[in-house]
Amino acid sequence: MSKSPDQWLEEISPEVRKQGIFKVFLGYAPGVGKTYSMLSEAIRRHSRGEDVVIGVIETHGRKGIAELAAQLEQVPRKKIEYKGTVFEEMDADAIIARSPRVVLVDELAHTNIPGSKHRKRYEDVLALVQAKMEVLSTVNVQHLESLAPTVDAITGIKVRETVPDWVLEHASEIVMVDLTPEALQNRMKRGEVYHTEKVDQALKNFFRRGNLIALRELALRQVAEQVDRSLESYKVEKDIQNPWLVRERLAVLFSSNPKAQYLLARAARMARRMDSELFAVYVDLGQDAADQDQKSLSANLQFAESLGAKVVKLKGKDVSAATAEFVREKHITQVIFGRSAVSGWRKYLYMTAVHRFLRDAPAVDVHIVTQDAD
């Protein structure tokens, strides 16, 4: 029986993974050089005296890959009979018995033949990591479970073998193996990816330039998200409170007032110009219980989502304190407040709230956008 994600994550927790390492070579399409890069690193490390073995390498008839793989020890695959045919799968138990320091496992999304110990190859990989080995593996971005529907919409090709996102999220390191779409197409034409008789059809379908550009962007975004997670983990580990201006993160405070949509639109334009993340923050003070307020609030929430903002609802007794805490937790770099053209005591209350925020929040840039009065 396959283990649940929670069971796997518990077994490969940080304490267990102090010696086990999971490194993924990520590509956006077949032929970009994932397996070649993985083998090249393994050969360099073997030449330095590290104990490196191949668990499984899929050459797909590529002579260059076969020549590189021949330079390393390969753990014999396990033969499994299924419906009268004998198949070969990676033998995770034999690898664990051999106990190398580094093991290479190609094609992370592969589905094992029925009768194997695990249903999916990524489960074999996690078992090796749990056994305190360093596992180098490869996968293309279209095999990520959450992205498979997007890839289907882009390319018209349904991806049947996938890897759950949580598997890559807990990788120790992700290396993107990149190649321009033009260079990949040239490799295709030279017969370095598929046999020559398949090249023309492939270039007209999955390997169309537009498809490759879109898939490359998906892969770049995946790596960027991984880098963000690594940075956040490091800052938490080192108790770094102040934001690092690696990438701008904007937060805009909005209310149930219908005029807040002007504020949200301004914030979205600012975020696009800076290519930054945008958080639309609503602090629930318990003052919007009336039906009309709830209706306009719902409209504002939908409007924020349509602009691409990440909508966040906070509860609190004080807008300033709740916002300051959110800014600190999410490492926001810029905050946008709206202000109605009011005077008297309302203006005083507004300015007092802004001053309290500046007192309580970490160092951030603050923008005040004036809206028309009611």
Side-chain angles (χ1 to χ4, degrees):
M1 180 183 294
S2 295
K3 297 177 184 178
S4 69
D6 287 342
Q7 289 173 314
W8 276 120
L9 293 177
E10 182 179 351
E11 293 182 3
I12 58 168
S13 62
E15 291 75 17
V16 175
R17 288 192 291 138
K18 283 181 180 177
Q19 297 177 38
I21 296 173
F22 177 30
K23 181 174 182 176
V24 177
F25 291 82
L26 175 71
Y28 68 87
V32 296
K34 303 178 303 300
T35 304
Y36 182 90
S37 297
M38 179 176 67
L39 280 165
S40 298
E41 176 177 326
I43 290 169
R44 287 194 303 271
R45 296 174 66 170
H46 176 66
S47 69
R48 296 197 296 263
E50 294 188 50
D51 186 12
V52 182
V53 304
I54 291 174
V56 61
I57 290 290
E58 307 290 359
T59 66
H60 298 294
R62 290 169 291 178
K63 183 180 177 182
I65 296 298
E67 289 175 349
L68 289 177
Q71 299 180 43
L72 297 168
E73 176 188 345
Q74 300 191 40
V75 176
R77 300 191 194 188
K78 186 175 184 178
K79 292 180 171 59
I80 300 174
E81 184 176 343
Y82 179 65
K83 293 186 176 180
T85 303
V86 176
F87 296 87
E88 291 188 347
E89 292 286 7
M90 183 180 76
D91 193 338
D93 289 337
I95 295 170
I96 291 172
R98 166 66 175 74
S99 190
R101 178 70 196 105
V102 183
V103 57
L104 278 59
V105 181
D106 210 5
E107 297 191 359
L108 187 64
H110 173 78
T111 302
N112 293 332
I113 291 297
S116 301
K117 184 174 183 179
H118 295 122
R119 189 179 70 86
K120 299 287 291 187
R121 185 170 287 170
Y122 74 79
E123 295 178 295
D124 292 326
V125 164
L126 296 178
L128 297 176
V129 173
Q130 184 186 352
K132 307 229 177 359
M133 298 177 198
E134 181 170 353
V135 182
L136 310 184
S137 191
T138 65
V139 71
N140 282 324
V141 73
Q142 64 263 34
H143 293 291
L144 277 180
E145 200 166 65
S146 67
L147 294 179
T150 303
V151 173
D152 185 4
I154 293 170
T155 66
I157 296 174
K158 187 173 292 295
V159 180
R160 302 194 181 279
E161 293 189 311
T162 60
V163 177
D165 290 45
W166 63 263
V167 175
L168 259 66
E169 288 174 4
H170 287 79
S172 309
E173 183 179 357
I174 295 180
V175 177
M176 181 169 173
V177 182
D178 197 18
L179 195 66
T180 65
E182 293 76 13
L184 178 54
Q185 287 180 325
N186 287 335
R187 291 198 66 198
M188 293 282 299
K189 294 171 184 176
R190 293 195 297 267
E192 297 177 12
V193 181
Y194 294 142
H195 293 298
T196 52
E197 63 269 17
K198 295 183 179 180
V199 170
D200 286 342
Q201 182 181 1
L203 289 172
K204 292 176 183 176
N205 292 284
F206 187 86
F207 288 84
R208 292 198 303 269
R209 183 171 179 271
N211 287 355
L212 297 180
I213 292 171
L215 291 171
R216 190 185 188 201
E217 181 177 353
L218 288 177
L220 288 167
R221 289 183 182 276
Q222 182 66 33
V223 174
E225 289 174 7
Q226 178 73 13
V227 171
D228 280 348
R229 284 193 292 270
S230 297
L231 180 60
E232 292 303 316
S233 297
Y234 176 83
K235 293 179 72 175
V236 170
E237 178 186 342
K238 300 298 182 181
D239 194 26
I240 298 171
Q241 299 292 329
N242 291 329
W244 285 1
L245 301 180
V246 176
R247 185 188 181 196
E248 298 288 353
R249 285 184 168 183
L250 273 66
V252 56
L253 276 292
F254 72 98
S255 67
S256 62
N257 190 324
K259 294 184 180 295
Q261 293 192 11
Y262 170 80
L263 177 66
L264 291 166
R266 282 283 303 273
R269 288 196 296 273
M270 290 174 64
R272 282 195 296 270
R273 285 197 296 269
M274 291 184 281
D275 189 28
S276 64
E277 290 183 87
L278 176 62
F279 296 85
V281 180
Y282 168 74
V283 181
D284 184 2
L285 302 176
Q287 297 177 345
D288 291 321
D291 289 344
Q292 185 58 41
D293 290 336
Q294 284 296 307
K295 184 177 179 180
S296 59
L297 175 60
S298 178
N300 289 349
L301 292 170
Q302 292 179 15
F303 185 69
E305 289 176 347
S306 72
L307 294 172
K310 297 178 182 178
V311 176
V312 178
K313 286 185 176 182
L314 304 176
K315 275 189 173 293
K317 297 180 179 179
D318 182 273
V319 172
S320 303
T323 304
E325 182 62 25
F326 174 78
V327 166
R328 185 176 294 104
E329 288 181 358
K330 293 297 183 181
H331 306 293
I332 302 298
T333 60
Q334 302 195 37
V335 178
I336 304 168
F337 290 98
R339 180 172 74 89
S340 297
V342 296
S343 59
W345 64 271
R346 288 187 177 181
K347 181 178 180 181
Y348 172 78
L349 289 177
Y350 172 82
M351 295 308 299
T352 300
V354 172
H355 288 155
R356 282 202 304 268
F357 170 79
L358 292 172
R359 180 196 64 197
D360 297 336
V364 293
D365 294 339
V366 174
H367 304 268
I368 297 177
V369 176
T370 300
Q371 305 161 224
D372 292 335
D374 292 340

